[in-house]
C-alpha cells in the first residue's frame, strides 16, 4: 500500500456515478427490443386450469407454461424451478409471459389476461413447514449440478426440507438420531445430556427473524438477444459465470455460446444473484426472434427474492465460572417456493450461530425448508445475521444468569489464534478481543451499563472459491483489467484500479476496468460474501507477476479450497474470517416502547484498507441496513399474500435514522486485504437487542417494533395511581 | 387521457365544472403513490402547477395559504414559526424535505389520508378551507371538511383554493409517534391547542379522520394531573382505532392515552 492510495478521497466530482453518467443495466437499450411483462399467480399454491387470452392484441406474443414445457428445471443449488409455472408455488410466481413492441402494449396485454386456478392449501411458516402434516411444496428434490452447488445436498425426502446441515463435534457423533427434529428436544435428550453434563447453568430461547427486502434502487433489468446461435444477455448480476452456466444448461448450449455482460448495478445486496428474470427473457427472445427487455416494477422486486425468515432455537451451557461448555442449535430457514441458494444460507447460518467462541461440544441442525412464499436467497449478511441475533442475545441471557458482565463473559470464551472452531479448523488472524474492547469502549461500557449492549460475530467467506483475472497491456501504455467482479455500488472498479496500480507500480490513471463480460473476463466464482476485494487482490498480484514474465497478457488465478461435511460440519468453513462487533446505547420509552438510539457503533476487522472512503461507506451502509432490520423492516404476508410491497408500507432506514451511527475499520498494516461488505450487518440487531434487554425487556423477535418491545417487558410496569 | 394545465382559478373551476370526474393534481405526492399502486386511474387530469394565485401567502392577520403553498414554505416561513409554531411543527415533520418541497396544503386536505400529519393540527387550530366552484365560494372548517377515509365534503365541481388559520391565543403542541423509519407517517399523532377558556385536542392517524371531542376537552383543568389523565383515557376509550402496518388497534389505544396526556402537559406550561 502506497501512501498516495491511503490519502485518496472518495469519488471525484467527475465520477460518472456522481454526475449521472453511469449506464446501469436499466439504461442499456438494444435497438428493436420488444418488451416483456409477466402475468403472475394470484394464489400461493395450486394449479392453473385456464389461461384466457382473448383480450390480447394480435401483435403480442404470449408464452404459456405449455409453450416452455420442453425446457428443463433450473436452480443454483437445487433444480426446482421452471421458466413459467403451471403449478404456481407462491403468490407472484410467473405463469404467463407477454412480449410486445412497446412497454405500454406489454403492460396492457398482461393486464387483460385472466387466469383460473385450482387452488391448494399452502404452508408459510418455516417451522410449520417441517411438521408431518404440512403440504409438500415440492414432491421431489433434485440437486443442481452447477458450480453454485458446492457441497452435497441433504434433502429429506417426503418433507419440505430441501437441505439439512449438521454440526456434531466429535463426542456427539454416532448417536441414533431422527433425520428431522420436529420438536425441540428436551435437555435430558440422550444425545445432548452428555454434552450439557458439565454445565452448571443452561439457558435456552427461540429467536425469530422475518423475511425482508433488499430494496435495490434499480430494479432487476435484463435484455436478451440471440446472435448467430449465441445467447447474449445484458443484466445486472453479481453472478455472471453462474448465470452463464445455468443459461447454457437450460438451452443445451456450450457455456462458451452464452455471453453475460453485467453493467454496474444500482444496488443489489444479494437481490441480483443467480437466475432471476434472465431465463424467461432469453426464452422470450428465442420465441420472438427479437431482442427482449424485461424491467421489473417495484412491487415485483419485493417478491423476486427475499431474505430468509427463520426460527432459531438455541441452548447454551456454561460452568458457574463462565466457561462455555456446550451449544445446541436447531434452525428452520424459510427458503420460500424455490431453494435458490437457501441450502448455502442454512449452512452459513448454522456455523455462524456458534459464534466466535470455544465450546467443548456443539450440535447444530439447520433445516432449509420450502414454503409457499416468494423465494429467499442471498441477502447481505447471508444467514449470519439471523443466527447471531439468537446467539448474541443468548450470551447476554447467560451472563444475566451467571451474574457475570456480558463483555467479560465474551472475553473469557473468545476464539484466539490456534483455537479450534466447531468445524475443526484452526483459527488464525483472529482479532475478536480487540474488536470487543473497541465496541465496549465506544459506549463507555465501564461508566454504567443501563441501556447498553454489545455483540460480536464471525462470518465466513465463500469457500471453496476461485478468482481469476487477466491484465492486458494496451498499446497506449495503459493496462486493462478483465475481471468478472461486478459493481453493485460497492466500488469494485475503483478497488480493482487501485490494487492493479499498486501491483503494477503505475498511476491509477493508467488502469482501465471494463464491466464484467464473460466473453472477455476469465472465470470468477461470483461477487458475493465479501470475497472479491480479498480474492482479487491476490489474483491481481499473481497476474502482475505473470505479465512481467510473459509480456502483453498476465493471468492470475487463486483457488481457496475447503468446504464442510454436511453431516458433521467438519472441514474448512471459511479460508478467511469476517470479524466484527457492535455496541449500542439506547433509551426505551416505557409507555410507548419506542427505542431511541442514542449511539450505534460497529467495528469491523479490515486488514489492509484499499480504498478508505469506499470501505467506510460499506461499513456505514451495513449498519444503516441492519438498523432497519433491527427496528422495523419486515415483509408482512397474510395467507401468503404480501401486504406491503411498496416503500410507503415497507420502510427502509432514512438518513435521520442513521444520524447516531459511528464506526471503525480495524486495520493492521501489511495484513491481507479483508472483505468488509457486510461484516457490520450481523452484530447490529443483537447489540441493539441487548441494549434494550438491559432496561428490563426480553426481545426475541425481529424487528423490535415498539409494540413488541412493550410486550416483551420482563417486569410489569407499576400502574400509576 | 388528457392533461389540462390551466393558469387561473377561474379556468380551473370552469374545467372542473365541465369535467366533474377529472382528477385535480396539486403536488402529486399522494396521487403518485396511489396511481403507482393501481388504486386510481383517470382519463382527465387538471394540474394546478401553473396557477400562480394559488401560491399566495400571507401572515398579516390570519395565516392565509393558497392551496398550492408547499409544506416546506409553511415549515420554514419565519412568521409562521413565530406566530403559528404548532402549525409549522406539524408541516415540518412530514416525510422528508424532498416530499415537503412539493406536497401542498390543499393537497393534503383534499386527499384526506388518515395518516397525514397536518390535518390534526389544522383542526385543532380552527383552520378553515375556502372551497370554490363556478357556483361560488364557501368556507368549510377543516373539522367538517374531512369526513372519512379519503373522503371530503367537496362536491365534484369544487376545489380548495385557500386555507385560513386564525392567530393562536395560547400554546400549541404537536406530538408525532413514529413506529418505523423517521420518514414514516405517524402511528399516532396528537395536536393540542390552548385557547381562551380551554383546549382543543385532536388525535390523528388512528382512525378514519382526525378525532376531536369538545365534551371531553371541556373536562380538562390546566396543570391538573388527574384531569389530564382522565381526558387522555377518555380519548383512548372513545376513538375507534384501526390496525395497519404501523401498529395494532390495541397498541394505538394504549398510546393515545399516553400521547394525549403528554400533549396536554406540554400545553399546561
Amino acid at each position: 500500500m502506497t501512501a498516495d492510495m491511503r490519502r485518496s478521497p472518495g469519488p471525484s466530482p467527475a465520477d460518472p456515478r456522481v454526475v449521472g453518467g453511469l449506464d446501469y443495466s436499466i439504461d442499456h437499450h438494444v435497438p428493436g427490443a420488444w418488451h416483456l411483462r409477466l402475468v403472475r399467480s394470484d394464489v400461493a399454491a395450486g394449479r392453473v386450469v385456464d389461461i384466457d387470452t382473448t383480450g390480447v392484441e394480435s401483435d403480442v406474443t404470449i408464452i404459456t407454461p405449455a409453450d416452455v414445457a420442453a425446457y428443463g428445471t433450473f436452480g443454483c443449488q437445487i433444480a426446482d424451478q421452471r421458466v413459467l409455472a403451471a403449478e404456481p408455488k407462491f403468490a407472484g410466481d410467473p405463469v404467463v409471459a407477454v412480449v410486445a413492441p412497446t412497454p405500454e402494449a406489454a403492460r396492457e396485454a398482461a393486464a387483460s389476461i385472466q387466469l383460473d386456478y385450482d387452488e391448494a392449501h399452502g404452508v408459510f411458516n418455516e417451522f410449520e413447514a417441517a411438521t408431518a402434516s404440512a403440504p409438500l411444496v415440492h414432491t421431489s428434490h433434485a440437486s443442481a449440478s452447477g458450480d453454485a452447488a458446492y457441497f452435497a445436498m441433504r434433502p429429506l425426502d417426503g418433507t419440505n426440507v430441501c437441505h439439512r446441515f449438521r454440526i456434531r463435534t466429535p463426542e456427539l457423533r454416532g448417536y441414533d438420531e431422527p433425520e428431522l427434529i420436529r420438536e425441540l428436544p428436551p435437555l435430558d435428550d440422550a444425545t445432548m445430556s452428555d454434552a450439557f453434563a458439565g454445565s452448571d447453568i443452561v439457558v435456552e430461547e427461540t429467536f425469530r427473524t422475518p423475511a425482508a427486502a433488499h430494496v435495490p434502487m434499480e430494479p432487476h433489468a435484463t435484455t436478451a438477444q440471440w446472435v448467430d446461435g449465441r445467447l447474449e444477455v445484458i443484466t445486472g448480476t453479481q453472478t455472471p459465470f453462474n448465470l452463464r452456466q445455468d443459461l447454457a444448461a437450460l438451452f443445451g448450449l456450450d457455456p462458451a455460446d452464452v455471453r453475460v455482460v453485467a453493467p454496474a448495478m444500482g444496488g443489489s445486496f444479494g437481490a441480483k444473484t443467480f437466475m432471476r428474470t434472465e431465463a424467461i427473457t432469453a426464452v422470450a427472445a428465442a420465441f420472438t426472434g427479437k431482442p427482449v427487455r424485461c424491467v421489473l416494477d417495484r412491487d415485483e422486486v419485493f417478491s423476486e427474492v427475499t431474505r430468509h425468515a427463520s426460527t432459531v432455537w438455541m441452548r447454551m451451557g456454561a460452568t458457574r465460572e463462565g466457561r462455555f461448555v456446550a451449544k445446541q442449535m436447531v434452525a428452520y430457514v424459510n427458503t420460500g417456493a424455490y431453494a435458490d441458494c437457501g441450502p448455502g444460507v442454512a449452512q452459513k447460518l448454522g456455523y455462524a450461530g456458534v459464534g466466535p467462541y470455544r465450546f467443548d461440544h456443539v450440535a447444530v441442525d439447520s433445516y432449509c425448508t420450502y414454503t409457499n412464499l416468494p423465494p429467499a436467497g442471498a441477502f447481505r449478511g447471508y444467514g449470519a445475521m439471523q443466527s447471531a441475533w439468537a446467539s448474541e442475545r443468548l450470551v447476554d441471557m447467560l451472563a444475566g444468569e451467571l451474574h457475570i458482565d456480558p463483555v467479560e463473559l465474551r472475553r473469557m470464551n473468545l476464539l484466539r489464534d490456534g483455537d479450534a472452531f466447531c468445524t475443526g479448523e484452526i483459527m488464525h488472524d483472529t482479532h475478536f478481543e480487540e474488536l470487543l474492547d473497541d465496541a465496549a469502549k465506544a459506549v463507555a461500557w465501564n461508566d454504567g451499563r443501563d441501556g447498553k449492549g454489545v455483540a460480536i460475530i464471525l462470518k465466513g467467506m465463500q469457500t471453496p472459491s476461485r478468482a481469476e483475472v487477466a491484465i492486458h497491456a494496451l498499446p497506449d501504455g495503459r493496462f486493462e483489467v478483465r475481471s468478472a467482479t461486478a459493481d453493485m455500488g460497492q466500488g469494485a472498479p475503483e478497488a480493482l484500479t487501485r490494487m492493479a496500480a499498486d501491483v503494477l507500480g503505475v498511476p491509477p490513471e493508467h488502469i482501465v476496468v471494463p464491466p464484467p463480460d464473460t466473453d472477455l473476463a476469465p472465470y470468477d466464482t461470483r461477487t458475493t460474501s465479501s470475497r472479491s476485494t480479498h480474492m482479487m487482490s491476490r489474483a491481481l498480484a499473481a497476474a502482475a507477476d505473470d505479465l512481467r514474465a510473459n509480456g502483453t497478457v498476465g493471468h492470475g488465478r487463486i483457488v481457496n479450497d475447503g468446504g464442510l461435511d454436511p453431516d458433521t460440519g467438519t472441514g474448512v468453513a471459511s479460508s478467511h474470517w469476517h470479524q466484527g462487533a457492535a455496541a449500542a446505547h439506547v433509551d426505551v420509552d416505557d409507555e410507548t416502547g419506542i427505542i431511541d438510539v442514542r449511539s450505534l457503533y460497529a467495528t469491523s476487522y479490515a486488514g489492509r484498507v484499499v480504498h478508505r472512503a469506499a470501505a467506510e461507506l460499506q461499513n456505514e451502509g451495513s449498519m444503516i441496513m441492519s438498523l432497519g432490520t433491527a427496528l422495523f423492516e419486515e415483509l408482512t404476508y397474510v395467507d401468503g399474500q404480501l401486504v406491503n410491497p411498496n416503500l410507503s408500507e415497507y420502510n427502509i432506514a432514512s438518513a435521520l435514522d442513521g444520524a447516531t451511527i459511528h464506526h471503525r475499520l480495524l486495520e493492521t498494516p501489511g495484513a491481507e486485504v479483508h472483505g468488509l461488505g457486510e461484516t457490520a450487518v450481523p452484530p447490529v440487531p443483537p447489540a441493539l437487542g441487548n441494549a434494550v434487554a438491559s432496561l428490563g425487556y426480553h426481545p426475541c423477535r425481529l424487528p423490535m417494533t415498539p409494540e413488541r418491545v412493550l410486550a416483551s417487558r420482563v417486569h410489569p410496569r407499576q400502574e400509576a395511581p | 387521457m388528457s392533461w389540462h394545465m390551466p393558469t387561473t382559478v377561474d379556468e380551473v373551476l370552469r374545467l372542473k365544472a365541465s369535467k366533474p370526474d377529472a382528477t385535480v393534481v396539486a403536488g402529486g405526492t399522494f396521487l403518485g403513490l396511489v396511481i403507482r399502486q393501481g388504486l386510481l386511474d383517470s382519463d382527465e387530469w387538471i394540474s394546478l402547477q401553473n396557477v400562480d394565485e394559488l401560491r399566495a401567502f400571507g401572515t398579516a392577520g390570519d395565516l392565509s395559504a393558497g392551496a398550492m403553498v408547499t409544506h416546506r414554505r409553511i415549515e420554514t416561513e419565519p412568521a409562521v414559526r413565530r406566530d403559528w409554531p404548532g402549525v409549522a411543527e406539524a408541516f415540518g415533520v412530514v416525510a422528508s424535505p424532498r416530499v415537503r418541497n412539493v406536497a401542498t396544503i390543499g393537497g393534503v386536505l383534499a386527499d384526506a389520508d388518515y395518516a397525514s400529519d397536518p390535518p390534526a393540527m389544522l383542526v385543532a387550530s380552527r383552520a378553515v378551507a375556502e372551497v370554490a366552484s363556478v357556483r361560488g365560494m364557501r368556507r368549510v372548517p377543516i373539522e367538517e371538511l374531512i369526513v372519512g377515509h379519503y373522503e371530503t365534503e367537496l362536491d365534484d365541481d369544487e376545489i380548495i383554493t385557500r386555507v385560513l388559520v386564525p392567530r393562536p391565543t395560547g400554546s400549541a403542541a404537536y406530538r408525532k409517534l413514529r413506529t418505523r423509519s423517521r420518514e414514516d407517517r405517524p402511528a399516532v399523532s396528537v395536536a393540542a391547542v390552548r385557547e381562551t377558556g380551554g383546549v382543543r385536542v385532536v388525535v390523528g392517524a388512528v382512525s378514519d379522520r382526525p378525532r376531536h371531542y369538545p365534551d371531553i376537552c371541556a373536562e380538562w383543568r390546566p396543570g391538573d394531573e388527574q384531569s389530564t389523565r382522565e381526558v387522555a383515557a377518555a380519548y383512548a376509550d372513545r376513538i375507534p382505532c384501526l390496525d395497519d402496518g404501523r401498529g395494532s388497534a390495541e397498541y394505538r389505544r394504549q398510546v393515545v392515552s399516553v400521547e394525549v396526556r403528554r400533549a396536554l402537559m406540554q400545553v399546561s406550561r
Side-chain angles (χ1 to χ4, degrees), chain A residues 297-298 589-594 596 631-632 644 646-657 705-707 710 717 720-721, chain B residues 33 36-37 95 114 175 177-185 226 229 244-251 254-255 258-259 261-262:
Chain A
D297 281 350
R298 177 58 61 188
D589 183 329
D590 67 355
E591 290 189 289
T592 64
I594 302 277
D596 177 23
L631 301 184
F632 46 78
N644 56 343
N646 59 70
L647 290 166
S648 48
E649 290 307 319
Y650 184 96
N651 280 193
I652 58 173
S654 69
L656 290 173
D657 292 291
T705 61
E707 214 163 338
L710 279 191
R717 185 167 57 91
Chain B
L33 286 177
R36 283 298 283 192
Q37 291 171 24
Y114 74 97
R175 297 187 60 84
L177 185 118
R178 301 175 184 86
T179 53
R180 304 185 301 194
S181 96
R182 293 283 295 272
E183 291 188 0
D184 198 9
R185 289 150 168 265
Q226 180 66 20
R229 282 184 187 281
D244 66 12
R246 286 178 286 269
S248 68
E250 184 47 45
Y251 176 72
Q254 196 174 339
V255 170
V258 174
E259 291 293 298
R261 191 192 78 224
R262 290 175 176 177

Side-chain angles (χ1 to χ4, degrees), chain A residues 452-517:
Chain A
K452 296 175 185 174
V454 298
I456 185 159
I457 63 101
L458 54 61
K459 194 197 141 289
M461 187 193 79
Q462 174 61 40
T463 304
S465 125
R466 185 171 113 217
E468 295 181 36
V469 67
I471 303 176
H472 291 246
L474 302 178
D476 62 6
R478 296 183 303 162
F479 297 90
E480 183 170 286
V481 175
R482 294 184 182 175
S483 154
T485 294
D487 182 11
M488 48 187 147
Q490 85 281 40
E494 183 69 17
L496 290 170
T497 298
R498 285 165 185 247
M499 294 189 295
D502 194 33
V503 294
L504 291 169
V506 301
E509 302 78 58
H510 290 197
I511 305 293
V512 181
V513 181
D517 178 341

Side-chain angles (χ1 to χ4, degrees), chain B residues 43-67:
Chain B
D43 289 332
E44 302 273 355
W45 304 85
I46 302 172
S47 167
L48 304 182
Q49 210 51 240
N50 292 348
V51 187
D52 286 344
E53 54 192 300
L54 290 177
R55 294 185 201 277
F57 186 83
T59 54
D62 289 350
L63 167 60
S64 162

